[in-house]
Structure formats: C-alpha cells, structure tokens
Amino acid sequence: MVNIDLISKKAEELFKNSDFNNVSMDRIAKETKISKKTIYKFFSSKYELISYCCEKRMYYVEESIKEIIFNDEIIFKEKLRKYLLIVSKNQVFPKRHLDNIYSHFPEILKNYNNFKKKCECDYFKILLEEGYKQNQLNKNIETDTIINVFINSLKNIFVSNSDKKEENENLHDLFNNTFEIISKGIFLI
C-alpha cells in the first residue's frame, strides 16, 4: 500500500538537500521505489507535491508552537525560550531556496509569508501578553521592539547555518546564551 507520507517525506528530504529544480518526479519515484504513475495519483504535479510538503511542514511548526504557548504548566520564561527555539530553528525553507520559490512558486511564498507573520508576530504577541499579565516583562519596552530583537538575533543563529548538512551542537549553546543576554533586558525578575 502506497502511503502519501512516504512520498512527501522522501520529497522533503530531497528538497532539503537540493534545489527544487534538481529534484525530478523521476528521482522521487526512484528513491521511494514507487512508480511515477502512482505518485501522480497523489500529486498531479511537482508544484502540488512541493506545496503539500510546505503546508505539512508549516502545520507541524505551528502545532509545535501552539503546544508550547497554550500550555499552562510551563513557566513563562521557559515557554518563551522554547517558542523562540522552534521559530528560530524551524525555517520551512533553507535560505538557498527562497529565490527559487520567489521566482517559480509565488503562491507558496505568499502562504509562507502569512505563516511566518502568524508564527513570528501573532503568536509571539500572545506569549508576550502573558508575560505582561504575570508582571514578568518590562512594560516600558514596546512589544514590537522585543519581537524584532529576539526574532532577528536568534533566527540568524540557525539561518546562517541552515544549509550545512550536519547541525553544529554549539548552535544550541549560542542560542541559549543569546537568549539569556537579550532576556535580561526585558524581564523584571
């Protein structure tokens, strides 16, 4: 029995390690050992497969974020750290793909930009409101300033290394140290 997840998982793996243009449906068929005809029963085009993979990835990231920010059992500072780690680390597209997506897949890029706004701004504001209500954050610092400082500083740690095959274990230490430095400026405690 052919599984749509098997096809999409292999496609995601191939897309992650190569440009979209360099991954053909023939290659996906060969790698999955599923006939191209069968793959086309699930996905009418490579565009549809790419779109499905992106939507699936965005769903996973968003669900991970909601699991954290709506969990009342996690203390605020830890919730903030976990949220930022997910947002920083889980870029749906490696940096090198963005030009390709911009040129060839504008609808996917539009969906991605809406997703990024929701994850990087809307959910972050919900989380910061919790911090203000708990008197954990300095209310003299504007919410948008906090968002920009955190997102831009922490995301750059992972984005600049997103195209490397192996993940550097020091990135997590760098993330945690950067988080601590920045958070000292916004926390009241």
Side-chain angles (χ1 to χ4, degrees):
M1 177 102 186
V2 175
N3 185 327
I4 195 169
D5 289 329
L6 173 68
I7 297 167
S8 65
K9 186 175 180 179
K10 180 51 77 174
E12 285 178 47
E13 183 183 310
L14 293 170
F15 293 144
K16 183 179 178 185
N17 296 320
S18 185
D19 289 336
F20 293 128
N21 295 337
N22 295 333
V23 178
S24 66
M25 294 298 258
D26 286 324
R27 183 170 173 200
I28 294 167
K30 182 180 176 185
E31 296 272 341
T32 58
K33 296 178 177 61
I34 297 171
S35 74
K36 197 162 109 174
K37 182 180 175 182
T38 302
I39 291 173
Y40 276 111
K41 286 181 182 177
F42 291 100
F43 304 102
S44 64
S45 65
K46 185 165 97 171
Y47 173 86
E48 192 177 301
L49 176 57
I50 292 168
S51 183
Y52 178 84
C53 291
C54 294
E55 291 294 328
K56 188 172 121 180
R57 181 76 181 140
M58 289 187 283
Y59 175 81
Y60 165 77
V61 172
E62 186 173 0
E63 289 302 306
S64 298
I65 288 170
K66 290 192 303 192
E67 215 172 272
I68 290 168
I69 67 171
F70 297 118
N71 184 336
D72 293 333
E73 295 180 18
I74 303 173
I75 62 170
F76 175 74
K77 187 173 181 180
E78 185 59 19
K79 199 181 278 195
L80 180 62
R81 191 189 70 71
K82 286 181 177 191
Y83 160 80
L84 288 166
L85 184 60
I86 287 172
V87 170
S88 302
K89 197 175 166 188
N90 286 290
Q91 299 304 305
V92 173
F93 303 115
K95 192 175 177 181
R96 71 180 185 288
H97 285 328
L98 291 177
D99 287 337
N100 189 317
I101 291 166
Y102 180 78
S103 301
H104 297 92
F105 309 106
E107 191 61 35
I108 292 174
L109 185 63
K110 180 183 170 190
N111 292 342
Y112 177 63
N113 286 334
N114 290 336
F115 161 79
K116 278 182 58 175
K117 181 194 173 295
K118 184 193 282 184
C119 291
E120 293 178 3
C121 295
D122 300 347
Y123 286 130
F124 203 171
K125 286 180 181 178
I126 291 169
L127 190 54
L128 292 176
E129 284 302 315
E130 178 182 328
Y132 290 130
K133 284 179 186 171
Q134 293 177 6
N135 289 319
Q136 300 227 358
L137 296 177
N138 183 341
K139 292 179 181 174
N140 295 324
I141 302 172
E142 292 182 20
T143 300
D144 289 339
T145 301
I146 294 172
I147 291 171
N148 284 325
V149 169
F150 268 111
I151 295 295
N152 290 320
S153 299
L154 297 173
K155 190 181 346 178
N156 285 331
I157 292 170
F158 292 100
V159 170
S160 62
N161 293 286
S162 67
D163 292 335
K164 294 181 179 174
K165 301 263 190 243
E166 69 285 338
E167 185 171 309
N168 184 344
E169 290 180 21
N170 293 328
L171 292 179
H172 290 285
D173 291 336
L174 182 58
F175 172 89
N176 287 326
N177 291 338
T178 304
F179 175 81
E180 286 302 318
I181 290 167
I182 296 171
S183 65
K184 285 181 183 180
I186 66 164
F187 281 99
L188 293 175
I189 4 181

